[in-house]
Amino acid sequence: MTITGDMLIGASAVRGTSKIQQAINPATGEVLGPDFHGGGAAEAERACALAEAAFDIYRNTSPEARAALLESIASGIEALGDELIERAHAESALPVARLQGERGRTANQLRLFARVLRDGRWQAATLDPALPERTPPRPDLRLQKIAVGPVAVFGASNFPLAFSVAGGDTASALAAGCPVIVKAHSAHLGTSELVGRVIQNAVADAGLPEGVFSLLVGAGNEIGTALVAHPAIQAVGFTGSRAGGLALVQTANNRAQPIPVYAEMSSINPVFLLPAALQARGAGIARDLVDSLVMGVGQFCTNPGLVLAVDSPALDVFRQGAAAALTDKAAATMLTPGICRAYDNGVAQFGEIEGLLRIGSGQTATGPNQACPALFETSAERFLADHRMQAEVFGPASVLVVCRDLEEMLSVARHLEGQLTATVQADADDHALAASLLTVLERKAGRVLFNGYPTGVEVSFAMVHGGPFPATSDTRATSVGASAIERFLRPVCYQNLPAALLPPALQDGNPLGLWRLANGELARH
Ligand code: NAP
């Protein structure tokens, strides 16, 4: 498939007239053709008008039709074969094996939402039959969930496939019945176009209105801001920086009609090493934790940026093991020059904080845009006193916080900002403390893990990839897993609707065979 540098607005390839952007290979600095002709407010307007025109037709397609669309996109992405992987590798410097895995995950996400659609529970069909004899009489009430409207999705820099053009936000919004307009991330423009063309073709092959999908490109904030501000857009999915996410939340709140922005922003993913586990497995935990820290050059939202333990001889073993393991880790190329600069600045700023000492380093950079892994240490007392130590340094950097005792560890846990994940390394003798910690961590994180590492997010029905601010802008939502569809649905109650006008999910006789809550009882008849 030829990459042209055009935007995809509905069925058309559109050459923008604002600033030209170029894809860059971060490993070499080489410019990767072609030029991408960015758009502005006019192109956002055109995509939004098409999305609005498509909305009623698309949301009223059958769940089966939307499931088939998602499956066709998944197959189309797989059919791109090596071309997609090679382009994504050139644009991101992510290893080929990682990108192949990410492609599988992207296809699986699309297929998961096809399954969700066929299962039907997403509609939350609920029937409260009329009670005419009651005083006062109860009307016939029936509830189902429907799509919110066109959705804007911002592709993430750190997942060129799984959180970008056909990533989790797009898959869940398309499943819900929402047209999607993606703002491509400037870090992987060619990858975005390849995947965008797959979706554009799938929409056309399914005979759906062209406005079901558009892909916009644009440097600077103009096109993204115009998109979020447009009255047709009813929700936003975003993964990126805290500053970017908050700017979009503000744009959404300043609209005449404010809308939800589901922004996944910053998280340092604390790992608590409890005493018995540290004593029994400290050296192994050190090795595995360092592997998790440097995985993907630390560019995972769930990267372990904070480690907490009580001072003890076992902690000395852990500390030495972690520092030694880090020494062997090579510097590796980050996604973009900007992300590498931000990492280097973050590490330099940590180096200037009094009482925050660098206790471990990986190998120094040998090429452009490479991050050298770093491990810092501080005391709980200093950590509690200096909020700067909670800042996310996006990349392979972590801070070990040494606590005087278990009570101080709990104090640090209570003091933490919201997180995507919190991890507890605990053996049986730690369980009493783990129970106290769990009570605190449930309030802090979207996912609490035991005896594992936070990197690696399963795409499944029970997954939560969300959490209190600043991990996300809406603590009630997840951006990974089947529940992600909830962000793009809203409930509607139909009161005393004539039978002929009832939507299929709510009709007498249950023609779709759904699990429905009928008179308070879950039933399938
Ligand atoms: P970003 O700068 O927030 O950009 C993400 C997307 O939002 C891009 O498409 C960007 O447009 C757009 N954007 C940003 N600010 C905007 C604004 N004010 N108005 C309209 N659009 C805006 O994130 P990034 O480029 O991925 O990485 C920068 C930093 O984000 C990293 O160094 C890291 O700190 C953080 N990050 C965190 C996570 C996480 O999951 N925790 C993931 C990725 C990145 P352009 O493409 O035109 O810039």
Side-chain angles (χ1 to χ4, degrees):
M1 196 182 277
T2 309
I3 301 172
T4 61
D6 293 333
M7 283 175 284
L8 307 176
I9 303 187
S12 308
V14 175
R15 186 139 292 216
T17 52
S18 61
K19 202 172 155 198
I20 287 180
Q21 284 183 288
Q22 289 170 322
I24 290 171
N25 183 331
T28 60
E30 177 200 358
V31 171
L32 303 164
D35 287 347
F36 287 80
H37 299 260
E43 285 81 7
E45 167 65 39
R46 186 165 161 192
C48 287
L50 285 175
E52 178 59 33
F55 178 48
D56 276 333
I57 299 169
Y58 184 59
R59 74 183 178 85
N60 283 316
T61 53
S62 68
E64 179 54 40
R66 298 204 294 282
L69 173 69
L70 296 176
E71 288 167 341
S72 143
I73 296 169
S75 304
I77 290 170
E78 288 165 341
L80 284 173
D82 291 345
E83 185 186 7
L84 179 67
I85 300 298
E86 282 161 15
R87 181 71 192 201
H89 173 62
E91 290 186 329
S92 69
L94 292 171
V96 165
R98 143 80 199 265
L99 288 164
Q100 286 167 335
E102 193 182 325
R103 175 178 57 191
R105 175 183 165 159
T106 308
N108 287 346
Q109 281 176 166
L110 290 155
R111 293 189 175 115
L112 174 77
F113 283 106
R115 198 172 150 200
V116 167
L117 282 169
R118 292 192 178 107
D119 169 87
R121 275 175 293 176
W122 63 273
Q123 279 173 287
T126 306
L127 292 79
D128 293 338
L131 298 174
E133 312 304 330
R134 199 190 69 176
T135 309
R138 182 172 83 180
D140 181 87
L141 298 168
R142 304 184 189 214
L143 174 153
Q144 70 166 351
K145 290 195 174 175
I146 68 165
V148 292
V151 169
V153 169
F154 287 75
S157 57
N158 56 344
F159 281 88
L161 302 173
F163 270 99
S164 284
V165 178
D169 289 338
T170 299
S172 52
L174 285 177
C178 301
V180 170
I181 303 173
V182 176
K183 151 72 171 71
H185 197 286
S186 43
H188 37 75
L189 295 164
T191 307
S192 295
E193 184 183 326
L194 287 172
V195 174
R197 285 187 181 274
V198 165
I199 305 180
Q200 189 185 49
N201 290 340
V203 168
D205 290 349
L208 292 166
E210 58 172 327
V212 166
F213 174 77
S214 290
L215 174 67
L216 301 177
V217 170
N221 300 332
E222 185 196 346
I223 200 162
T225 306
L227 191 54
V228 174
H230 195 282
I233 297 297
Q234 294 300 303
V236 179
F238 169 93
T239 300
S241 65
R242 192 193 294 209
L246 287 179
L248 295 178
V249 168
Q250 197 164 12
T251 302
N253 286 338
N254 288 344
R255 294 165 40 124
Q257 175 220 4
I259 53 166
V261 175
Y262 299 102
E264 196 228 292
M265 299 173 289
S266 96
S267 179
I268 53 173
N269 305 299
V271 179
F272 294 83
L273 310 180
L274 302 196
L278 194 60
Q279 177 70 39
R281 308 184 272 116
I285 294 173
R287 266 194 318 274
D288 294 345
L289 190 70
V290 166
D291 284 346
S292 174
L293 175 66
V294 301
M295 186 189 288
V297 206
Q299 300 167 120
F300 287 113
C301 346
T302 51
N303 198 52
L306 193 69
V307 184
L308 301 104
V310 173
D311 205 3
S312 68
L315 180 60
D316 293 337
V317 173
F318 169 83
R319 185 191 283 112
Q320 282 159 19
L326 208 59
T327 313
D328 291 337
K329 301 297 179 192
T333 311
M334 298 196 87
L335 291 158
T336 68
I339 286 177
C340 191
R341 268 194 307 278
Y343 175 75
D344 287 342
N345 288 342
V347 168
Q349 279 164 15
F350 269 4
E352 286 165 12
I353 298 177
E354 203 187 331
L356 186 57
L357 302 176
R358 188 159 178 161
I359 60 162
S361 296
Q363 292 167 12
T364 47
T366 54
N369 303 314
Q370 289 188 349
C372 169
L375 181 62
F376 292 85
E377 177 174 331
T378 191
S379 68
E381 195 179 357
R382 285 193 186 264
F383 183 84
L384 289 166
D386 193 334
H387 195 70
R388 291 174 297 171
M389 295 190 202
Q390 283 205 47
E392 180 190 51
V393 175
F394 189 68
S398 194
V399 175
L400 171 65
V401 177
V402 180
C403 308
R404 266 194 319 268
D405 51 29
L406 297 171
E407 195 42 54
E408 192 170 49
M409 184 187 263
L410 279 168
S411 299
V412 175
R414 287 189 204 100
H415 174 75
L416 290 175
E417 294 187 314
Q419 306 290 338
L420 293 170
T421 69
T423 300
V424 183
Q425 290 287 346
D427 284 356
D429 286 350
D430 295 315
H431 282 184
L433 171 63
S436 313
L437 203 49
L438 189 55
T439 308
V440 180
L441 298 182
E442 282 170 340
R443 292 180 57 175
K444 296 288 179 184
R447 177 163 60 109
V448 183
L449 317 65
F450 271 65
N451 295 338
Y453 300 92
T455 40
V457 181
E458 186 69 31
V459 179
S460 66
F461 288 87
M463 178 48 66
V464 173
H465 191 64
F469 181 85
T472 76
S473 56
D474 190 327
T475 190
R476 296 164 298 179
T478 174
S479 56
V480 178
S483 307
I485 194 172
E486 294 294 331
R487 299 172 297 168
F488 305 122
L489 294 168
R490 67 181 185 85
V492 177
C493 176
Y494 304 85
Q495 183 168 331
N496 284 341
L497 237 67
L501 296 184
L502 279 169
L506 302 180
Q507 287 169 6
D508 290 342
N510 196 8
L512 300 184
L514 299 173
W515 282 104
R516 308 196 295 187
L517 197 63
N519 227 350
E521 302 282 338
L522 202 55
R524 207 168 187 176
H525 49 70

